[in-house]
Amino acid sequence: MYPIVEKNDLAAKVYRYVIKAPQIVKKARAGQFVILRLHEEGERIPITLADWDAVQGTITLYVQAVGKTTTMMSMMKAGDSLMDVVGPFGVPSHVEPGKTFVAIGGGFGIAAIHPIVRAHKLIGNKTISIIGSRSKDLLLMEDEMRAISDEVRIATDDGSYGTKGFVTTILKSMLEQREPVDVVLAIGPVVMMKAVADLTRPLGVQTLVSLNPIMMDGTGMCGACRVVVGNKMKFACVDGPEFDAHAVDFELLMARQKMYSPQEKISFDIFEKICEAQEHRETAAW
Amino acid sequence: MKIPRHGMPEQDPLERAKNFLEVPLGYTAEMAVEEAERCIQCKNPKCMEGCPVNVKIPQFIFHVAMGNFPLAAQTLKETNALPAVCGRVCPQEEQCEAVCTIGAKVEPVAIGRLERFVADWERMTGNVSLPVIAPPTGKKIAVIGAGPAGLTCAGDLAKLGHAVTIFEALHKPGGVLVYGIPEFRLPKQIVDAEVSFLEKLGVTIQCDFVVGMTRTVDELMNEDGFDAVFIGTGAGLPYFMGIPGENLNGVYSANEFLTRVNLMKGFEFPNHADTPVPMAKHVAVIGGGNTAMDSARTARRLPWTEKVYIVYRRSSVEMPARKEEIHHGEQEGIEFLLLTNPTRFIGNNGWLVGMECQKMELGEPDASGRRKPVPVAGSEFVLDVEAVIVATGNGSNPLINKTTPGLTTNKYGNIIADETGKTSREGVWAGGDIVIGAATVIKAMGAGKKAAAAIHEYVQSKK
Ligand SMILES: Cc1cc2nc3c(=O)[nH]c(=O)nc-3n(C[C@H](O)[C@H](O)[C@H](O)COP(=O)(O)OP(=O)(O)OC[C@H]3O[C@@H](n4cnc5c(N)ncnc54)[C@H](O)[C@@H]3O)c2cc1C
Ligand SMILES: Cc1cc2nc3c(=O)[nH]c(=O)nc-3n(C[C@H](O)[C@H](O)[C@H](O)COP(=O)(O)OP(=O)(O)OC[C@H]3O[C@@H](n4cnc5c(N)ncnc54)[C@H](O)[C@@H]3O)c2cc1C
Ligand code: SF4
Ligand code: FES
């Protein structure tokens, strides 16, 4: 059992969890993820390591409620326990000194870039973080990102904070103004990662993305997480999740993410009905 | 020979194609005794030579014939730690039963069914006897992977008085026995019982622990104080065929499909399980081994499936799956498309809508000694399916090889080990599918046993 030590409700259905998992902390590196399971009948879901604490033996995760499992997780509280947390999985991010590193995060992607930006900062790289959200009150981790970045640039869709537009709006103007950029890393929704790749490709700027196909075991056993990079089949869990953005087949990734959509919907609808019934019962008991 | 071999009572094919309950129902005590009486107790029992772990077959059968089931169980367990599993999944027809003396004249003694009967009897009556455990040696041994190889090795080492910890990547121990072989062929409660027996022997099982990631072999030995390591990580890296359309939605590896249904209990989705499973009406399974047969029979049982095909490029004679399982598949209404090979997957909007196949004919024998399938020109046709399960074999997982310097492997990524499982690394043994490639449960167990004996000698010789 893996106890939840702390839980916070953040904006936009995103929740922050601090979970006791000492054996994972010992090996955690930037760019890696864990796989967790909530209960005996639960599914295995991959979540990126946003942070870890060697002294407390805890890991920090940011999880967005999108379907049944993540919504169930959003209903858990500090003091509850997860059934399984396993990892860390994935090849750690490659960091190399003497670079200007630009990291772009959208949604839970901000949590995912956090340890990677920190790793670059630690070896003395110049770090610029571009983070975005729909509006000001939905923005995640601004303070955390400021603490580890030389510069934080913010985009909101509605212009309520920072630049009006997308994270790519900021990247585009950086590239147009010939600001020095050695490596770009983008983590977030596939459309965002694809847009970043399309911007940097003509300029030949090294660009990395962290892919999030459907996964199960995380050890290269099931083959569910296959992606195509440079016309070769790769397993994102063991060969990635970071890949060269200019070689990734994003169309395929988007299609494969929808592989179980009809089933996921059935499952979520049943779950909502049960939740409603439970609420009824609770109000009736009052 | 007055009594013919006892048939196995089975669930009705039409009924069982709708459920995940076990297909063969098992012998009653009377049937078992009668079947055991068919054994002529050969002085020079060929059956034992045919058994990869040399189970004392005539002795255990003798005890069954005498009605002394506890003694039969004890005899079995002397050499075989997982009799309830082996009695169900071992290919007896190619091993012990193939060479049974009376098999030359009449049907061989049903050794496998008797083994299963005895193990089930022991488990169901709760008459499980604990073997004598040697006093603690103070040695710590790490076993990586809780499949048949790892479980057997751990059990033997625990009996010898060593402190054994099994590290397992998944959340449940058992390896292929829990994620691959389906419930209707091997009920999971049987695997659970075997695992809890190991725990009674004092073995610690640490699930959710991926060696290579959570900890490396070197860390286990240098920092965590393990005196020796056994690697039994199996052959779990799915092969795809490299034909067009392989990444379409609807094309699954057998490992993904079986793991979703078996380990994650997808057959109870969406009510009691959260892991979704493919919901196709028409399914084709490519391959002719046990994995293909298990995938097809599993697909057949999902309530929304209407039609299941096995697509295999050679003829039924060459099929590597157990005859019994092929027969069960036929009875359950699976359609076998033999001498047929897929050439590409056809998609619409990213989803599989069909599979193009080509007819084959058998040519000259190839390197494997089997006649080589040769395509018949102009024989292409399209099979209308929305799901295809690729069951064309597994390679070895590279996680440990990549993170263990000095561990030598062959070109397939299999760990190179000698007779006893000893690898190129001091203090490290390996066995099972990770060494010999995808094989059988009993071979993996045999390798676990040999390695346990060698590890015992090694740690005892170190002061
Ligand atoms: C390497 C990796 C790191 C990730 N890190 C994070 C993170 O830090 N925070 C976060 O909120 N989310 C993260 N995700 C996504 C997260 O795993 C999915 O949101 C989650 O599995 C959805 O489960 P569900 O049952 O709630 O939703 P469902 O209703 O099952 O699915 C909703 C959508 O989520 C995706 N999804 C479903 N199942 C899986 C699965 N087993 N693996 C991957 N994606 C799936 C699919 O695109 C699907 O359409 C990550 C995914 C990967 C592969
Ligand atoms: C679908 C299917 C049906 C089969 N049917 C039969 C049959 O009827 N009869 C028969 O005799 N054989 C059958 N086989 C073959 C048989 O199951 C295998 O030969 C046998 O299980 C091999 O045992 P093993 O212990 O070497 O490996 P496995 O059973 O593969 O177990 C390996 C274990 O190691 C774990 N592991 C892997 N990597 C790591 C790591 N880095 N750290 C920690 N743990 C790790 C895995 O999660 C797994 O639990 C079948 C195989 C399949 C796939
Ligand atoms: S070979 Fe057959 S008849 Fe002879 S001892 Fe073995 S099981 Fe009995
Ligand atoms: S998640 Fe199973 S192979 Fe990557």
PDB file of all heavy atoms in Angstrom, chain B residues 75-98:
ATOM      1  N   THR B  75       4.741 -37.404  -2.547  1.00  0.00           N
ATOM      2  CA  THR B  75       5.688 -37.927  -3.529  1.00  0.00           C
ATOM      3  C   THR B  75       5.840 -36.957  -4.711  1.00  0.00           C
ATOM      4  O   THR B  75       6.941 -36.671  -5.155  1.00  0.00           O
ATOM      5  CB  THR B  75       5.211 -39.298  -4.048  1.00  0.00           C
ATOM      6  OG1 THR B  75       4.855 -40.102  -2.927  1.00  0.00           O
ATOM      7  CG2 THR B  75       6.272 -39.986  -4.870  1.00  0.00           C
ATOM      8  N   LEU B  76       4.700 -36.470  -5.167  1.00  0.00           N
ATOM      9  CA  LEU B  76       4.724 -35.520  -6.287  1.00  0.00           C
ATOM     10  C   LEU B  76       5.548 -34.285  -5.937  1.00  0.00           C
ATOM     11  O   LEU B  76       6.383 -33.826  -6.707  1.00  0.00           O
ATOM     12  CB  LEU B  76       3.295 -35.039  -6.564  1.00  0.00           C
ATOM     13  CG  LEU B  76       2.541 -35.653  -7.713  1.00  0.00           C
ATOM     14  CD1 LEU B  76       1.134 -35.087  -7.744  1.00  0.00           C
ATOM     15  CD2 LEU B  76       3.244 -35.363  -9.026  1.00  0.00           C
ATOM     16  N   LYS B  77       5.270 -33.760  -4.738  1.00  0.00           N
ATOM     17  CA  LYS B  77       5.891 -32.500  -4.330  1.00  0.00           C
ATOM     18  C   LYS B  77       7.392 -32.618  -4.116  1.00  0.00           C
ATOM     19  O   LYS B  77       8.088 -31.605  -4.090  1.00  0.00           O
ATOM     20  CB  LYS B  77       5.246 -32.015  -3.021  1.00  0.00           C
ATOM     21  CG  LYS B  77       3.878 -31.389  -3.197  1.00  0.00           C
ATOM     22  CD  LYS B  77       3.975 -29.877  -3.065  1.00  0.00           C
ATOM     23  CE  LYS B  77       2.643 -29.219  -2.923  1.00  0.00           C
ATOM     24  NZ  LYS B  77       2.020 -29.490  -1.620  1.00  0.00           N
ATOM     25  N   GLU B  78       7.879 -33.841  -3.973  1.00  0.00           N
ATOM     26  CA  GLU B  78       9.322 -33.992  -3.793  1.00  0.00           C
ATOM     27  C   GLU B  78      10.088 -33.398  -4.963  1.00  0.00           C
ATOM     28  O   GLU B  78      11.160 -32.859  -4.806  1.00  0.00           O
ATOM     29  CB  GLU B  78       9.686 -35.481  -3.675  1.00  0.00           C
ATOM     30  CG  GLU B  78       9.527 -36.013  -2.272  1.00  0.00           C
ATOM     31  CD  GLU B  78       9.782 -37.513  -2.233  1.00  0.00           C
ATOM     32  OE1 GLU B  78      10.642 -38.004  -2.989  1.00  0.00           O
ATOM     33  OE2 GLU B  78       9.088 -38.198  -1.455  1.00  0.00           O
ATOM     34  N   THR B  79       9.513 -33.527  -6.150  1.00  0.00           N
ATOM     35  CA  THR B  79      10.235 -32.999  -7.318  1.00  0.00           C
ATOM     36  C   THR B  79       9.498 -31.869  -8.019  1.00  0.00           C
ATOM     37  O   THR B  79      10.090 -31.124  -8.777  1.00  0.00           O
ATOM     38  CB  THR B  79      10.495 -34.113  -8.352  1.00  0.00           C
ATOM     39  OG1 THR B  79       9.304 -34.877  -8.468  1.00  0.00           O
ATOM     40  CG2 THR B  79      11.644 -34.999  -7.935  1.00  0.00           C
ATOM     41  N   ASN B  80       8.204 -31.754  -7.796  1.00  0.00           N
ATOM     42  CA  ASN B  80       7.430 -30.765  -8.538  1.00  0.00           C
ATOM     43  C   ASN B  80       6.664 -29.851  -7.589  1.00  0.00           C
ATOM     44  O   ASN B  80       5.725 -30.267  -6.930  1.00  0.00           O
ATOM     45  CB  ASN B  80       6.459 -31.485  -9.477  1.00  0.00           C
ATOM     46  CG  ASN B  80       5.739 -30.517 -10.384  1.00  0.00           C
ATOM     47  OD1 ASN B  80       5.731 -29.311 -10.137  1.00  0.00           O
ATOM     48  ND2 ASN B  80       5.146 -31.030 -11.426  1.00  0.00           N
ATOM     49  N   ALA B  81       7.084 -28.578  -7.557  1.00  0.00           N
ATOM     50  CA  ALA B  81       6.479 -27.648  -6.608  1.00  0.00           C
ATOM     51  C   ALA B  81       5.108 -27.159  -7.070  1.00  0.00           C
ATOM     52  O   ALA B  81       4.336 -26.636  -6.279  1.00  0.00           O
ATOM     53  CB  ALA B  81       7.405 -26.450  -6.405  1.00  0.00           C
ATOM     54  N   LEU B  82       4.793 -27.312  -8.345  1.00  0.00           N
ATOM     55  CA  LEU B  82       3.531 -26.765  -8.850  1.00  0.00           C
ATOM     56  C   LEU B  82       2.686 -27.836  -9.549  1.00  0.00           C
ATOM     57  O   LEU B  82       2.312 -27.700 -10.709  1.00  0.00           O
ATOM     58  CB  LEU B  82       3.807 -25.629  -9.849  1.00  0.00           C
ATOM     59  CG  LEU B  82       4.749 -24.494  -9.443  1.00  0.00           C
ATOM     60  CD1 LEU B  82       5.023 -23.581 -10.624  1.00  0.00           C
ATOM     61  CD2 LEU B  82       4.164 -23.683  -8.303  1.00  0.00           C
ATOM     62  N   PRO B  83       2.363 -28.940  -8.836  1.00  0.00           N
ATOM     63  CA  PRO B  83       1.673 -30.036  -9.529  1.00  0.00           C
ATOM     64  C   PRO B  83       0.291 -29.652 -10.069  1.00  0.00           C
ATOM     65  O   PRO B  83      -0.101 -30.126 -11.134  1.00  0.00           O
ATOM     66  CB  PRO B  83       1.566 -31.130  -8.463  1.00  0.00           C
ATOM     67  CG  PRO B  83       1.742 -30.430  -7.154  1.00  0.00           C
ATOM     68  CD  PRO B  83       2.616 -29.253  -7.422  1.00  0.00           C
ATOM     69  N   ALA B  84      -0.413 -28.770  -9.379  1.00  0.00           N
ATOM     70  CA  ALA B  84      -1.744 -28.401  -9.868  1.00  0.00           C
ATOM     71  C   ALA B  84      -1.642 -27.629 -11.177  1.00  0.00           C
ATOM     72  O   ALA B  84      -2.531 -27.676 -12.019  1.00  0.00           O
ATOM     73  CB  ALA B  84      -2.490 -27.577  -8.816  1.00  0.00           C
ATOM     74  N   VAL B  85      -0.528 -26.908 -11.327  1.00  0.00           N
ATOM     75  CA  VAL B  85      -0.304 -26.161 -12.564  1.00  0.00           C
ATOM     76  C   VAL B  85       0.134 -27.127 -13.665  1.00  0.00           C
ATOM     77  O   VAL B  85      -0.434 -27.157 -14.757  1.00  0.00           O
ATOM     78  CB  VAL B  85       0.764 -25.068 -12.353  1.00  0.00           C
ATOM     79  CG1 VAL B  85       1.102 -24.385 -13.672  1.00  0.00           C
ATOM     80  CG2 VAL B  85       0.308 -24.055 -11.308  1.00  0.00           C
ATOM     81  N   CYS B  86       1.147 -27.953 -13.364  1.00  0.00           N
ATOM     82  CA  CYS B  86       1.670 -28.873 -14.380  1.00  0.00           C
ATOM     83  C   CYS B  86       0.616 -29.868 -14.827  1.00  0.00           C
ATOM     84  O   CYS B  86       0.528 -30.199 -16.002  1.00  0.00           O
ATOM     85  CB  CYS B  86       2.874 -29.620 -13.840  1.00  0.00           C
ATOM     86  SG  CYS B  86       4.278 -28.533 -13.646  1.00  0.00           S
ATOM     87  N   GLY B  87      -0.189 -30.349 -13.886  1.00  0.00           N
ATOM     88  CA  GLY B  87      -1.247 -31.294 -14.241  1.00  0.00           C
ATOM     89  C   GLY B  87      -2.201 -30.693 -15.260  1.00  0.00           C
ATOM     90  O   GLY B  87      -2.907 -31.405 -15.961  1.00  0.00           O
ATOM     91  N   ARG B  88      -2.238 -29.383 -15.333  1.00  0.00           N
ATOM     92  CA  ARG B  88      -3.148 -28.716 -16.265  1.00  0.00           C
ATOM     93  C   ARG B  88      -2.492 -28.266 -17.562  1.00  0.00           C
ATOM     94  O   ARG B  88      -3.103 -28.331 -18.609  1.00  0.00           O
ATOM     95  CB  ARG B  88      -3.778 -27.487 -15.590  1.00  0.00           C
ATOM     96  CG  ARG B  88      -4.797 -27.874 -14.563  1.00  0.00           C
ATOM     97  CD  ARG B  88      -5.266 -26.655 -13.783  1.00  0.00           C
ATOM     98  NE  ARG B  88      -6.493 -26.964 -13.070  1.00  0.00           N
ATOM     99  CZ  ARG B  88      -6.539 -27.577 -11.895  1.00  0.00           C
ATOM    100  NH1 ARG B  88      -5.430 -27.954 -11.308  1.00  0.00           N
ATOM    101  NH2 ARG B  88      -7.698 -27.815 -11.307  1.00  0.00           N
ATOM    102  N   VAL B  89      -1.271 -27.738 -17.472  1.00  0.00           N
ATOM    103  CA  VAL B  89      -0.723 -27.108 -18.675  1.00  0.00           C
ATOM    104  C   VAL B  89       0.475 -27.815 -19.306  1.00  0.00           C
ATOM    105  O   VAL B  89       0.902 -27.438 -20.388  1.00  0.00           O
ATOM    106  CB  VAL B  89      -0.373 -25.617 -18.439  1.00  0.00           C
ATOM    107  CG1 VAL B  89      -1.586 -24.862 -17.915  1.00  0.00           C
ATOM    108  CG2 VAL B  89       0.802 -25.459 -17.496  1.00  0.00           C
ATOM    109  N   CYS B  90       1.025 -28.836 -18.645  1.00  0.00           N
ATOM    110  CA  CYS B  90       2.170 -29.514 -19.252  1.00  0.00           C
ATOM    111  C   CYS B  90       1.736 -30.258 -20.512  1.00  0.00           C
ATOM    112  O   CYS B  90       0.660 -30.851 -20.529  1.00  0.00           O
ATOM    113  CB  CYS B  90       2.760 -30.541 -18.286  1.00  0.00           C
ATOM    114  SG  CYS B  90       4.062 -29.868 -17.276  1.00  0.00           S
ATOM    115  N   PRO B  91       2.589 -30.275 -21.532  1.00  0.00           N
ATOM    116  CA  PRO B  91       2.283 -31.078 -22.722  1.00  0.00           C
ATOM    117  C   PRO B  91       2.627 -32.549 -22.475  1.00  0.00           C
ATOM    118  O   PRO B  91       3.597 -33.056 -23.021  1.00  0.00           O
ATOM    119  CB  PRO B  91       3.164 -30.448 -23.805  1.00  0.00           C
ATOM    120  CG  PRO B  91       4.278 -29.792 -23.072  1.00  0.00           C
ATOM    121  CD  PRO B  91       3.809 -29.482 -21.691  1.00  0.00           C
ATOM    122  N   GLN B  92       1.848 -33.227 -21.631  1.00  0.00           N
ATOM    123  CA  GLN B  92       2.162 -34.624 -21.268  1.00  0.00           C
ATOM    124  C   GLN B  92       2.237 -35.498 -22.497  1.00  0.00           C
ATOM    125  O   GLN B  92       3.017 -36.447 -22.552  1.00  0.00           O
ATOM    126  CB  GLN B  92       1.099 -35.181 -20.310  1.00  0.00           C
ATOM    127  CG  GLN B  92       1.127 -34.590 -18.924  1.00  0.00           C
ATOM    128  CD  GLN B  92       0.082 -33.505 -18.764  1.00  0.00           C
ATOM    129  OE1 GLN B  92      -0.762 -33.312 -19.641  1.00  0.00           O
ATOM    130  NE2 GLN B  92       0.120 -32.788 -17.651  1.00  0.00           N
ATOM    131  N   GLU B  93       1.396 -35.195 -23.484  1.00  0.00           N
ATOM    132  CA  GLU B  93       1.365 -36.035 -24.689  1.00  0.00           C
ATOM    133  C   GLU B  93       2.710 -36.068 -25.411  1.00  0.00           C
ATOM    134  O   GLU B  93       2.966 -36.951 -26.221  1.00  0.00           O
ATOM    135  CB  GLU B  93       0.229 -35.588 -25.623  1.00  0.00           C
ATOM    136  CG  GLU B  93       0.382 -34.199 -26.239  1.00  0.00           C
ATOM    137  CD  GLU B  93      -0.020 -33.055 -25.310  1.00  0.00           C
ATOM    138  OE1 GLU B  93      -0.302 -33.306 -24.118  1.00  0.00           O
ATOM    139  OE2 GLU B  93      -0.037 -31.900 -25.774  1.00  0.00           O
ATOM    140  N   GLU B  94       3.582 -35.067 -25.113  1.00  0.00           N
ATOM    141  CA  GLU B  94       4.908 -35.074 -25.748  1.00  0.00           C
ATOM    142  C   GLU B  94       5.975 -35.497 -24.754  1.00  0.00           C
ATOM    143  O   GLU B  94       7.139 -35.625 -25.104  1.00  0.00           O
ATOM    144  CB  GLU B  94       5.281 -33.655 -26.200  1.00  0.00           C
ATOM    145  CG  GLU B  94       4.416 -33.100 -27.271  1.00  0.00           C
ATOM    146  CD  GLU B  94       4.674 -31.609 -27.470  1.00  0.00           C
ATOM    147  OE1 GLU B  94       5.674 -31.091 -26.928  1.00  0.00           O
ATOM    148  OE2 GLU B  94       3.859 -30.986 -28.153  1.00  0.00           O
ATOM    149  N   GLN B  95       5.622 -35.613 -23.489  1.00  0.00           N
ATOM    150  CA  GLN B  95       6.623 -35.909 -22.471  1.00  0.00           C
ATOM    151  C   GLN B  95       6.359 -37.283 -21.858  1.00  0.00           C
ATOM    152  O   GLN B  95       6.514 -38.296 -22.521  1.00  0.00           O
ATOM    153  CB  GLN B  95       6.644 -34.789 -21.420  1.00  0.00           C
ATOM    154  CG  GLN B  95       6.989 -33.437 -22.045  1.00  0.00           C
ATOM    155  CD  GLN B  95       6.895 -32.286 -21.065  1.00  0.00           C
ATOM    156  OE1 GLN B  95       6.568 -32.449 -19.899  1.00  0.00           O
ATOM    157  NE2 GLN B  95       7.177 -31.086 -21.533  1.00  0.00           N
ATOM    158  N   CYS B  96       5.916 -37.299 -20.583  1.00  0.00           N
ATOM    159  CA  CYS B  96       5.749 -38.575 -19.890  1.00  0.00           C
ATOM    160  C   CYS B  96       4.811 -39.542 -20.606  1.00  0.00           C
ATOM    161  O   CYS B  96       5.123 -40.723 -20.793  1.00  0.00           O
ATOM    162  CB  CYS B  96       5.270 -38.337 -18.468  1.00  0.00           C
ATOM    163  SG  CYS B  96       3.787 -37.307 -18.368  1.00  0.00           S
ATOM    164  N   GLU B  97       3.659 -39.051 -21.051  1.00  0.00           N
ATOM    165  CA  GLU B  97       2.669 -39.960 -21.635  1.00  0.00           C
ATOM    166  C   GLU B  97       3.107 -40.465 -23.005  1.00  0.00           C
ATOM    167  O   GLU B  97       2.715 -41.546 -23.435  1.00  0.00           O
ATOM    168  CB  GLU B  97       1.299 -39.271 -21.719  1.00  0.00           C
ATOM    169  CG  GLU B  97       0.707 -38.987 -20.352  1.00  0.00           C
ATOM    170  CD  GLU B  97      -0.650 -38.288 -20.411  1.00  0.00           C
ATOM    171  OE1 GLU B  97      -1.272 -38.261 -21.488  1.00  0.00           O
ATOM    172  OE2 GLU B  97      -1.069 -37.746 -19.368  1.00  0.00           O
ATOM    173  N   ALA B  98       3.949 -39.676 -23.683  1.00  0.00           N
ATOM    174  CA  ALA B  98       4.388 -40.079 -25.020  1.00  0.00           C
ATOM    175  C   ALA B  98       5.199 -41.366 -24.964  1.00  0.00           C
ATOM    176  O   ALA B  98       5.212 -42.139 -25.916  1.00  0.00           O
ATOM    177  CB  ALA B  98       5.217 -38.969 -25.655  1.00  0.00           C
TER     178      ALA B  98
END
